[in-house]
Amino acid sequence: MPEIVVVGSSNTDMVVKTPRFPEPGETILGGDFFMFPGGKGANQAVAAARLGGKINFICCVGDDIFGQNALEGYKKEGINIDGVLIAKGEPSGVALITVNAEGENEIVVASGANNLLSKTHLEGVSKQIQGVDIILTQLETPIPVIAHLANYCRENNQKLIINPAPAQQLSDDILKELFLITPNETETRILTGVEVADETSASRACKALFQKGVKNVIITMGSRGAFFMNSEVHFTAKAQKVNAIDTTAAGDVFNGALAVCLAQNMPWKESIEFANKAAARAVTKMGAQTSAPYLNEIN
């Protein structure tokens, strides 16, 4: 089994379906309410586990009912949670999500205990990170933790993938240590200043990231697929056409699936095509972790 460490967030998602998003100051009547396990780190860990990865998950949860339920869920998925920090007296992270009739979403996150994940905790669980094939993280984790992780991967010659979401700037000191970065179009614009509208502009954005030291770039473009570029090759892997119900965790499932493929040294094109299939399957279901497909669904 390909071994992967996911360092990231654990949240509980509270979802309301609505015909449309409200305007500022407007109250509208929504439809069904759901509560799902979520958090970008947890979503990616679960997606990778369901697709055949051996997963060590490093995160921080509160000692409340949300945290307890999350840990039980990770155990059921076969995820190693020895690296989880339980913060006494702190609330676990939550996300408030609205999903419109087209399956698009708007999300507000209250990070809670996720903000307490620290360099010190990471150092304390370093044995779980040593020698693994792929380390995957996102930006619902404090940036000092990301910076420490980047330095660790450089010193130990390990491959670090960053999914730069939620969108924010990253320092060149972090970017130059990355094996791979996987921004969507909005995140690409924030990182590079380039609006991605086609392959030409996507290529220009990738080159801007190469100048900062990133080795490989995948720009995810929703229904238009994913654009890959490194110093040797570039291509667009087409997305599958599906009836999207909820796009909440599409990017997380993509990244989890991709990590499993890369940990098995699969070629870039096959890896991205597989990740696209997994993400397409995920958007046909409600929820974040609950929508992550199993390997037999993809095959």
Side-chain angles (χ1 to χ4, degrees):
M1 295 175 67
E3 190 169 5
I4 298 161
V5 168
V6 179
V7 179
S9 55
S10 174
N11 291 329
T12 298
D13 293 345
M14 300 181 188
V15 184
V16 176
K17 296 192 74 173
T18 176
R20 62 177 177 84
F21 297 130
E23 298 293 331
E26 180 187 18
T27 298
I28 63 174
L29 293 177
D32 296 330
F33 170 76
F34 306 90
M35 192 159 65
F36 298 115
K40 297 194 70 63
N43 297 344
Q44 293 178 11
V46 168
R50 291 185 178 182
L51 295 172
K54 180 182 178 183
I55 311 301
N56 294 320
F57 186 32
I58 298 172
C59 70
C60 182
V61 299
D63 60 351
D64 53 15
I65 189 65
F66 293 134
Q68 294 167 21
N69 288 343
L71 296 183
E72 286 303 314
Y74 305 145
K75 289 178 186 177
K76 289 178 182 177
E77 299 287 351
I79 294 171
N80 184 343
I81 58 171
D82 291 346
V84 174
L85 173 65
I86 301 174
K88 300 293 183 182
E90 296 292 336
S92 298
V94 296
L96 306 180
I97 303 172
T98 51
V99 180
N100 71 9
E102 286 73 47
E104 300 170 322
N105 61 67
E106 291 184 342
I107 305 173
V108 178
V109 175
S111 295
N114 290 302
N115 284 331
L116 301 179
L117 192 63
S118 66
K119 171 185 170 181
T120 302
H121 179 65
L122 218 57
E123 290 170 342
V125 296
S126 61
K127 287 184 179 180
Q128 292 191 35
I129 305 175
Q130 291 172 358
V132 299
D133 305 301
I134 294 288
I135 299 170
L136 173 62
T137 193
Q138 329 73 30
L139 302 185
E140 285 182 346
T141 300
I143 292 298
V145 174
I146 302 293
H148 175 75
L149 201 56
N151 289 332
Y152 178 91
C153 289
R154 172 179 51 80
E155 291 171 359
N156 292 276
N157 196 31
Q158 290 175 267
K159 294 177 179 177
L160 177 62
I161 301 173
I162 285 185
N163 172 221
Q168 59 182 290
Q169 289 284 353
L170 287 172
S171 70
D172 291 358
D173 287 341
I174 292 175
L175 291 170
K176 70 182 181 182
E177 309 298 352
L178 300 186
F179 169 69
L180 170 66
I181 193 167
T182 61
N184 63 20
E185 295 147 302
T186 300
E187 293 148 9
T188 299
R189 175 176 51 78
I190 289 173
L191 288 167
T192 68
V194 177
E195 287 280 358
V196 175
D198 50 26
E199 283 200 3
T200 300
S201 54
S203 175
R204 190 162 65 250
C206 289
K207 289 175 182 176
L209 289 166
F210 295 155
Q211 290 176 352
K212 297 176 181 292
V214 180
K215 298 175 183 65
N216 304 283
V217 181
I218 298 172
I219 301 175
T220 57
M221 302 182 294
S223 61
R224 290 189 291 156
F227 180 81
F228 171 77
M229 189 171 183
N230 63 15
S231 61
E232 299 173 350
V233 66
H234 70 273
F235 58 83
T236 297
K238 293 182 179 179
Q240 288 192 325
K241 292 183 179 180
V242 295
N243 180 26
I245 294 174
D246 180 6
T247 60
T248 301
D252 297 331
V253 171
F254 178 93
N255 280 275
L258 184 72
V260 171
C261 294
L262 296 179
Q264 297 175 87
N265 295 312
M266 286 174 59
W268 284 108
K269 197 167 195 304
E270 286 84 344
S271 297
I272 297 169
E273 287 174 345
F274 180 85
N276 275 343
K277 288 180 182 179
R281 173 71 68 169
V283 302
T284 64
K285 305 176 186 177
M286 282 294 298
Q289 288 165 40
T290 52
S291 72
Y294 291 90
L295 189 58
N296 66 313
E297 296 180 72
I298 308 301
N299 292 334

